[in-house]
């Protein structure tokens, strides 16, 4: 009976714990998604890969009240599609004279001379559209243009007849505002319009006075700020009848030529007009404006930008888009002012947004209530499960107290399990580090050895985890035997890593202790019918009388990675140069990042000389970085290591194709250029489409681009590699094998891989193009010719080398004898001087 009760309680405890964990995980996931959603809504990032650039010609300046909404709308549509935009401000409110427009024209003309990369133009408000129409042929010839925020409907209709222009009319919701005022405040019979003489202000006045006859019981009057000074305006506002409603329209200029921001003007109106203020534009609801309906500028500019996206991305004819006369509106009211003027919510549209409205806690926290409830339920589950566990533990302790020996045994077992690795039975990582820190004093002599099994991942993949566990156990046993015999401290540091502390010794790579450990890992391991042969890389750090053991563990790990970098199956002793090497690599990594961010990569071109004619038959494109004084043999491995080679590969390809187009525009005779294709670029799935689009964009025939690959790409022979070769072959690209003879050279690869040309590496030239050995070079050239392939000899630096290669019938040569890598302008005009 007691046993059944304990089983039931245990089942309940585990069930509650699992439920609690699931509830907690679900709550965390919901909160993460909520935070991520809020961040995505609040922060639209600039595109990392820019495909198009457009110009936004803004009629006003960044302080104008519609500007922020307009820019937000543009970002929503353009940034996700990889389109970047620049803004140029006319500031027509402050500089609206004909002379000002001429000055702006001259400024923009000069700017466009320097930067003609814009593919479309966005026009914000009437003055921008007027300017664009006037100078369309001169400044914007052939560019599609989309306008928005146009107050004059006739002007918008007339502009949309232009085949390169379409856009959006700024619908005025003043009518809706007047109707809402009549509905919500029927006892107020005097309507006062506050406006200026701008296009928007004039359009508003036409609508305002159109209601004069519709509502004869009402008095319609206006205040023209363009005819008043600021002081006069304040006086007029103070005299507005108390039973009036003030319609706050476009009114940012006065008779003295001053232009006020929306914030300044709103502060003035709210301070001196003691009546309900209705506004048919955005802004002011949190400053004292009662409310009103207005056009959603963000939506209109977003829709305008989406037209640009469609035109640039899909090639849609802009004339297919008609003029849009209807943009959705927003209705916003200040809730506290509604209470002041006794306006009920049912008097307003159901979609009204209320500013400063007291928030119902349930409504305010509705997004986090579900996750909060889950957390509370999870805590309750944990508390109940914990209480059950505590009670059971108490019962267990009562039982254990009956046998002190059993209790002590259990404690020791738990301590042992906490300190030892379960699989290897060695000290675990935490314990070995703590032990070294406790038992070793800084002035003692000792060595720390870090060991990593080479290629252990392959054992897991080829033989399975059971075999891998068997090997770890076996090697751990061997290390423990040595540790017990020689009084070492040994522990398992990670999956296939071990750490050993050897007291009273400073080791080097030839020390007996190091060689013993290396031999232990080299010794074949017999497991059933399998014999496994392994090796290890070892790093050693010797005590220096100053550093703590934990630092020597770090140093030993650095030295271990140095051993791996030098071919594995060996040992390295830590030296400060290794730390400096890491620091140098980090510095180079920062320089590479800067080169990407600031577009500092550029190309040099080394001529290839045909031996039969001594003519230049093509170039090899070689990348450089303006901020890095080291060559690509140094910074390319860093780029590959950090996964940036795909990005660099595309930069190189685009620069080479653009250079071919530039040479063609200069009237130069085009010659093929070969670009280096890294084995790491195989993972760039979209490269072929990118390459096709580039060649089509610049109208460069495929024959002028050649692909240089290395032997490392050949040995992979996976599905992606085969598909890549097929794509290159289908598009007619010549494929060159670069650095032949430096790696896994096998003539067998040349039989089934579609290689068109072999590039013999400089190292073979230096080693074999010498008296008594040069027949080897001749044999290689003849063998390549027998396979119906051509061969280029790299690294030719002396005349006698060139002459000997001509005797061997090499097809072409490349090297400093003819030319170093050249800038593009020098390369295209290069003539070989033999």
């Amino acid at each position: 009976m007691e046993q059944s009760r304990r089983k039931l309680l245990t089942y309940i405890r585990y069930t509650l714990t699992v439920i609690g964990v699931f509830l907690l995980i679900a709550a965390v996931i919901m909160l993460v998604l909520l935070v991520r959603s809020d961040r995505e809504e609040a922060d639209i990032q600039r595109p990392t890969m820019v495909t198009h650039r457009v110009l936004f010609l803004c009629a006003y300046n960044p302080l104008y009240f519609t500007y922020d909404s307009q820019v937000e709308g543009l970002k929503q549509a353009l940034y996700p599609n990889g389109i970047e935009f620049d803004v140029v401000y006319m500031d027509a409110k402050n500089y609206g004279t004909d002379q000002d427009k001429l000055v702006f024209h001259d400024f923009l003309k000069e700017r466009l001379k320097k930067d003609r990369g814009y593919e479309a133009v966005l026009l914000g408000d009437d003055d921008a559209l007027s300017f664009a129409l006037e100078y369309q042929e001169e400044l914007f010839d052939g560019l599609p243009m989309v306008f928005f925020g146009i107050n004059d409907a006739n002007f918008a209709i007339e502009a949309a007849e232009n085949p390169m222009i379409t856009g959006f009319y700024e619908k005025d919701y003043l009518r809706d505002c007047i109707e809402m005022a009549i509905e919500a405040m029927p006892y107020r019979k005097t309507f006062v319009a506050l406006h200026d003489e701008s296009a928007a202000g004039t359009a508003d006045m036409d609508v305002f006075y159109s209601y004069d006859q519709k509502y004869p019981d009402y008095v319609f009057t206006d205040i023209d700020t363009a005819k008043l000074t600021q002081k006069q305006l304040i006086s007029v506002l103070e005299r507005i009848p108390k039973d009036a409603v003030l319609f706050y329209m476009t009114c940012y200029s006065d008779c003295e030529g001053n232009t006020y921001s929306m914030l300044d003007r709103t502060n003035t109106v709210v301070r001196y007009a003691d009546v309900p203020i209705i506004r048919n534009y955005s802004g002011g609801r949190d400053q004292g404006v009662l409310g009103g309906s207005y056009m959603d500028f963000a939506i209109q500019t977003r829709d305008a930008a989406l037209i640009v996206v469609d035109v640039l991305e899909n090639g849609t004819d802009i004339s297919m888009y008609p003029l849009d006369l209807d943009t959705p509106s927003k209705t916003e009211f200040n809730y506290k002012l509604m209470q002041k003027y006794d306006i009920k919510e049912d008097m307003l549209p159901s979609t009204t947004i209320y500013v400063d409205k007291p928030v119902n806690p349930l409504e305010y926290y509705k997004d986090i209530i579900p996750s909060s409830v889950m957390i509370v339920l999870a805590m309750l589950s944990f508390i109940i499960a914990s209480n059950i566990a505590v009670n059971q533990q108490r019962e267990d302790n009562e039982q254990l107290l009956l046998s002190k020996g059993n209790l002590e045994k259990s404690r020791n077992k738990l301590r042992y399990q906490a300190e030892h690795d379960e699989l290897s039975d060695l000290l675990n990582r935490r314990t070995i580090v703590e032990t070294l820190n406790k038992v070793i004093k800084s002035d003692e002599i000792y060595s720390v050895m870090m060991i990593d099994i080479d290629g252990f991942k392959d054992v897991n993949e080829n033989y399975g985890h059971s075999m891998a566990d068997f090997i770890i156990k076996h090697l751990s046993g061997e290390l423990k035997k040595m540790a017990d015999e020689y009084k070492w401290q040994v522990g398992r540091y990670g999956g296939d890593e071990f750490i050993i502390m050897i007291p009273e010794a400073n080791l080097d790579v030839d020390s007996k202790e190091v060689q013993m450990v290396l031999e232990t890992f080299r010794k074949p391991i017999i497991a059933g019918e399998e014999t496994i042969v392994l090796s290890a890389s070892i790093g050693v750090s010797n005590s220096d009388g100053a550093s703590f053991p934990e630092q020597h563990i770090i140093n030993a790990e650095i030295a271990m990675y140095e051993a791996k970098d030098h071919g594995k199956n060996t040992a390295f002793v830590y030296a400060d140069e290794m730390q400096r090497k890491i620091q140098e690599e980090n510095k180079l990594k920062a320089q590479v990042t800067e080169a990407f961010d600031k577009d500092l990569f550029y190309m040099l071109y080394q001529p290839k000389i045909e031996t039969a004619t001594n003519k230049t038959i093509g170039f090899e494109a070689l990348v450089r970085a303006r901020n890095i004084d080291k060559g690509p043999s140094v910074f390319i491995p860093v780029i590959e290591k950090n996964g940036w080679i795909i990005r660099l590969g595309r930069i190189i390809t685009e620069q080479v194709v653009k250079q071919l187009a530039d040479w063609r525009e200069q009237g130069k005779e085009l010659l093929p250029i070969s670009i280096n294709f890294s084995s790491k670029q195989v993972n760039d799935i979209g490269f072929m489409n990118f390459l096709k689009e580039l060649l089509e964009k610049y109208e460069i025939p495929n024959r002028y681009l050649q692909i240089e690959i290395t032997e490392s790409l050949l040995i992979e022979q996976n599905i992606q590699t085969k598909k890549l070769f097929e794509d290159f072959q289908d598009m007619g690209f010549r494929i060159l094998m670069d650095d032949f003879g430096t790696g896994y050279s096998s003539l067998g690869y040349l039989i089934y891989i579609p290689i068109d040309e072999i590039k013999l590496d400089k190292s073979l030239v230096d080693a074999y193009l010498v008296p008594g050995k040069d027949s080897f070079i001749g044999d290689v050239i003849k063998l390549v010719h027998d396979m119906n392939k051509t061969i280029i000899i790299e690294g030719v630096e002396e005349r006698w080398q060139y002459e000997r290669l001509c005797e061997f019938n090499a097809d072409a040569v490349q090297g400093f004898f003819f030319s170093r890598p050249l800038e593009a302008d020098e390369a295209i005009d290069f003539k070989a001087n033999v």
Side-chain angles (χ1 to χ4, degrees):
M1 188 70 177
E2 178 63 22
Q3 189 69 20
S4 298
R5 184 184 71 85
R6 289 179 59 81
K7 286 184 178 180
L8 178 60
L9 288 175
T10 301
Y11 175 78
I12 293 173
R13 185 184 73 184
Y14 286 138
T15 302
L16 289 173
T17 301
V18 171
I19 291 173
V21 169
F22 275 114
L23 287 172
L24 199 57
I25 292 173
V28 171
I29 292 173
M30 290 178 66
L31 290 173
V32 169
L33 292 176
L34 180 62
V35 171
R36 183 178 297 173
S37 175
D38 290 343
R39 287 180 177 174
E40 290 176 353
E41 292 177 4
D43 186 16
I44 303 174
Q45 298 293 328
R46 298 177 74 91
T48 55
M49 183 71 73
V50 177
T51 56
H52 304 283
R53 292 180 62 218
V54 300
L55 178 67
F56 171 26
L57 185 58
C58 178
Y60 306 124
N61 62 38
L63 298 178
Y64 195 65
F65 75 96
T66 63
Y67 175 76
D68 289 340
S69 297
Q70 290 175 341
V71 169
E72 183 64 24
L74 295 181
K75 289 180 179 179
Q76 290 176 9
L78 298 179
Y79 281 2
N81 290 285
I83 300 177
E84 191 174 55
F85 66 92
D86 294 334
V87 187
V88 177
Y89 307 100
M90 292 181 65
D91 201 4
K93 289 288 185 184
N94 294 312
Y95 304 98
T97 66
D98 291 341
Q99 181 61 34
D100 292 334
K101 291 180 181 178
L102 285 175
V103 171
F104 178 74
H105 163 269
D106 294 341
F107 155 75
L108 184 58
K109 183 176 180 180
E110 287 302 313
R111 172 167 176 167
L112 292 178
K113 284 182 181 178
K114 298 177 181 178
D115 189 352
R116 288 190 170 272
Y118 300 118
E119 300 172 63
V121 182
L122 289 155
L123 305 169
D125 294 287
D126 300 69
D127 289 302
L129 176 57
S130 176
F131 179 87
L133 286 171
E134 183 175 353
Y135 297 106
Q136 182 179 8
E137 291 186 5
E138 179 184 358
L139 301 179
F140 311 115
D141 188 31
L143 294 181
M145 294 189 281
V146 183
F147 60 78
F148 47 84
I150 306 303
N151 300 104
D152 188 333
N154 293 327
F155 183 34
I157 293 170
E158 179 184 348
E161 293 176 356
N162 188 309
M164 294 302 291
I165 301 178
T166 190
F168 295 77
Y169 166 65
E170 182 179 325
K171 184 176 179 181
D172 193 329
Y173 287 92
L174 180 59
R175 291 183 176 86
D176 294 352
C177 292
I178 293 174
E179 295 290 349
M180 276 189 286
I182 293 172
E183 173 70 21
M185 297 174 285
Y187 51 88
R188 294 180 180 270
K189 300 294 185 179
T190 301
F191 285 179
V192 181
L194 186 64
H195 68 98
D196 59 15
E197 295 177 0
S198 65
T202 303
D204 285 339
M205 285 310 301
D206 291 340
V207 174
F208 181 75
Y209 277 115
S210 69
Y211 275 76
D212 192 9
Q213 295 179 351
K214 184 176 180 179
Y215 295 101
D217 294 340
Y218 286 75
V219 176
F220 288 80
T221 184
D222 70 278
I223 302 171
D224 187 351
T225 63
K227 297 179 180 179
L228 302 172
T229 65
Q230 176 76 352
K231 186 174 182 181
Q232 290 170 338
L233 174 61
I234 291 173
S235 177
V236 173
L237 291 173
E238 289 177 332
R239 295 199 304 272
I240 294 176
K242 299 301 181 183
D243 65 341
V245 176
L246 178 62
F247 290 87
Y248 172 21
M249 306 172 185
T250 302
C251 55
Y252 305 116
S253 58
D254 63 15
C255 66
E256 296 178 332
N258 297 318
T259 300
Y260 299 88
S261 69
M262 191 272 286
L263 179 63
D264 290 338
R265 186 60 93 195
T266 301
N267 287 334
T268 300
V269 173
V270 169
R271 182 176 180 182
Y272 295 104
D274 188 17
V275 294
I277 302 170
I278 299 294
R279 179 167 169 78
N280 58 322
Y281 294 101
S282 63
R285 273 67 172 177
D286 55 351
Q287 295 174 256
V289 173
L290 172 59
S293 294
Y294 59 92
M295 187 191 76
D296 194 327
F297 288 99
I299 289 180
Q300 187 178 83
T301 52
R302 181 203 65 193
D303 292 345
L306 286 174
I307 293 177
V308 171
V309 171
D310 189 30
V311 170
L312 297 182
E313 290 288 312
N314 303 319
T316 304
D317 187 347
I318 194 170
S319 64
M320 300 295 293
Y321 282 94
L323 173 67
D324 194 313
L325 297 171
D326 189 14
T327 298
S329 66
K330 277 187 178 181
T331 301
E332 283 188 347
F333 272 78
N334 186 294
Y335 193 81
K336 292 181 180 178
L337 292 176
M338 286 172 58
Q339 292 179 316
K340 176 180 178 181
Y341 295 115
D342 196 25
I343 299 174
K344 308 301 181 185
E345 290 185 40
D346 57 10
M347 298 177 179
L348 302 175
S350 59
T351 57
T352 300
I353 299 170
Y354 296 101
V355 179
D356 289 340
K357 181 180 179 180
V359 181
N360 183 314
L362 290 177
E363 180 68 20
Y364 186 77
Y365 295 107
K366 65 179 180 181
D367 292 333
I368 64 171
I369 285 177
S371 54
S372 300
V373 171
M374 288 183 181
I375 292 174
V376 171
L377 292 175
M379 293 299 102
L380 288 174
S381 298
F382 291 147
I383 291 171
I384 295 172
S386 298
N387 284 335
I388 293 174
V390 168
N391 290 332
Q392 287 184 316
Q393 187 64 47
R394 184 182 300 115
E395 292 175 1
D396 292 340
N397 288 339
E398 291 173 355
Q399 293 295 323
L400 290 172
L401 286 174
L402 298 175
S403 175
K404 185 178 179 180
N406 289 339
L407 178 60
E408 193 65 31
K409 183 179 179 181
S410 296
R411 287 178 178 174
N412 292 336
K413 182 180 179 181
L414 288 173
R415 184 182 298 111
Y416 187 88
Q417 290 174 341
E419 294 176 349
H420 288 73
D421 176 67
E422 182 178 359
L423 178 63
S424 65
D425 203 33
L426 299 176
L427 293 176
N428 58 32
R429 177 173 181 158
R430 177 184 58 81
T431 307
I432 186 66
V433 174
E434 289 180 354
T435 300
L436 297 185
N437 284 328
K438 287 179 181 177
V439 303
I440 298 177
K441 297 178 181 179
S442 60
D443 58 351
E444 289 187 29
I445 297 175
Y446 62 94
S447 291
V448 174
M449 191 185 301
M450 183 71 72
I451 310 155
D452 183 86
I453 303 175
D454 295 328
F456 195 66
K457 179 182 176 184
D458 295 335
V459 175
N460 268 305
E461 292 177 352
N462 296 329
Y463 297 97
H465 294 295
S466 297
M467 176 66 77
D469 289 348
F470 172 81
I471 292 172
I472 292 293
K473 288 180 180 178
H474 172 80
L475 292 172
S476 299
E478 295 297 310
L479 291 177
K480 195 170 188 306
K481 288 179 185 177
M482 284 191 287
D484 291 342
E485 181 178 353
Y486 297 106
K487 298 184 177 357
W488 299 346
Q489 289 280 1
V490 62
R492 187 181 180 194
Y493 196 69
D496 59 347
E497 292 180 342
F498 301 89
I499 186 170
I500 298 175
M501 190 280 289
I502 300 173
E504 300 178 1
N506 278 167
L507 307 179
D508 57 39
V509 295
D510 296 320
S511 295
K512 178 186 70 174
E513 294 87 346
V514 173
Q515 294 303 316
M516 284 170 55
V517 174
L518 280 173
E519 286 304 318
T520 297
F521 282 83
R522 291 169 180 164
K523 191 181 300 180
I525 300 173
I526 299 173
E529 298 180 356
E530 301 288 348
T531 300
I532 310 298
V533 179
L534 298 171
S535 64
S537 297
I538 297 179
V540 177
S541 180
N542 292 315
S543 59
D544 55 11
S547 301
F548 290 105
E550 200 160 358
Q551 182 60 50
H552 287 294
I553 293 173
I554 295 172
N555 295 346
E557 192 167 14
I558 292 172
M560 179 195 74
Y561 284 116
E562 190 74 14
K564 284 191 173 293
D565 289 342
H566 284 75
K568 306 178 182 178
N569 193 22
T570 187
F572 265 72
V573 177
Y574 173 81
D576 291 340
E577 287 77 9
M578 296 179 186
Q579 186 69 39
R580 284 194 288 272
K581 178 182 175 183
I582 293 175
Q583 292 170 351
E584 282 295 319
E585 184 173 330
N586 290 335
K587 178 182 177 182
L588 185 57
K589 182 177 176 182
Q591 290 176 322
V592 169
T593 303
E594 181 186 23
F596 276 119
D597 293 342
K598 296 183 178 179
D599 195 19
L600 299 178
F601 289 108
Y602 68 98
M603 306 305 300
L604 297 179
Y605 300 89
Q606 188 170 35
K608 302 175 184 177
I609 307 302
E610 187 177 46
T611 57
T613 63
N614 293 332
K615 291 183 178 180
T616 303
I617 59 171
F619 305 96
E620 179 180 1
L622 301 168
V623 68
R624 300 290 187 269
R626 301 189 190 282
N627 65 325
I628 302 176
D629 56 6
K630 296 178 176 60
S633 62
V634 176
F635 65 76
I636 290 293
V638 173
I639 290 175
E640 289 184 333
K641 182 178 180 180
N642 288 276
W644 300 331
I645 192 63
I646 289 176
R647 183 178 177 187
L648 180 63
R650 292 200 176 199
I651 290 172
I652 290 171
T653 305
E654 184 164 7
Q655 288 194 19
V656 168
V657 174
K658 282 183 177 179
Q659 186 58 60
L660 285 166
D662 288 345
W663 282 340
R664 182 186 58 205
E665 293 300 318
Q666 296 168 17
K668 305 292 186 180
E669 178 186 358
L670 296 187
L671 295 173
I673 300 178
S674 60
I675 59 174
N676 290 284
F677 191 85
S678 167
S679 61
K680 302 293 191 300
Q681 288 177 259
V682 172
N683 297 318
D684 188 357
I685 304 300
F687 179 77
M688 293 307 299
N689 289 333
F690 168 77
L691 183 55
K692 289 178 184 177
E693 291 172 2
L694 267 182
L695 294 172
E696 290 172 0
K697 176 180 177 181
Y698 292 99
E699 299 179 353
I700 299 298
N702 295 4
R703 66 178 180 274
Y704 291 115
L705 198 66
Q706 299 176 347
I707 309 298
E708 291 196 17
I709 64 170
T710 57
E711 297 163 355
S712 60
L713 185 62
L714 300 182
I715 65 170
E716 294 184 12
Q717 280 299 299
N718 55 37
I719 294 175
Q720 287 179 235
T721 307
K722 292 179 181 178
K723 178 68 167 59
L724 184 69
F725 283 122
E726 290 173 2
D727 289 341
F728 282 143
Q729 198 170 25
D730 291 344
M731 289 185 66
F733 294 118
R734 281 180 64 82
I735 303 177
L736 287 62
M737 180 189 286
D738 194 17
D739 300 335
F740 183 76
T742 61
Y744 310 92
S745 299
S746 171
L747 295 175
Y749 289 130
L750 306 182
I751 297 173
Y752 59 84
I753 297 299
I755 300 297
D756 299 296
E757 192 164 74
I758 302 298
K759 298 190 73 177
L760 198 65
D761 189 72
K762 182 180 184 299
S763 61
L764 284 182
V765 174
D766 293 341
Y768 291 100
L769 193 59
V770 295
K773 294 184 179 180
D774 56 1
S775 60
F776 171 77
I777 299 294
D779 291 340
V780 172
I781 293 172
K782 185 176 184 305
L783 184 59
V784 172
H785 286 164
D786 288 343
M787 289 188 287
N788 293 320
K789 303 180 188 297
T790 56
I791 185 167
I792 295 178
I793 311 301
E794 296 183 300
V796 177
E797 298 180 350
E798 303 290 342
R799 173 179 290 277
W800 68 268
Q801 291 178 320
Y802 170 68
E803 292 173 348
R804 190 64 172 141
L805 291 170
C806 288
E807 294 175 12
F808 287 143
N809 293 321
D811 297 288
V813 297
Q814 180 181 339
F816 286 2
F817 173 62
F818 290 102
S819 173
R820 293 177 177 271
L822 303 173
E823 296 283 352
D825 292 341
E826 296 179 81
I828 195 62
D829 293 326
F830 176 77
K831 304 293 183 184
N833 183 16
V834 181

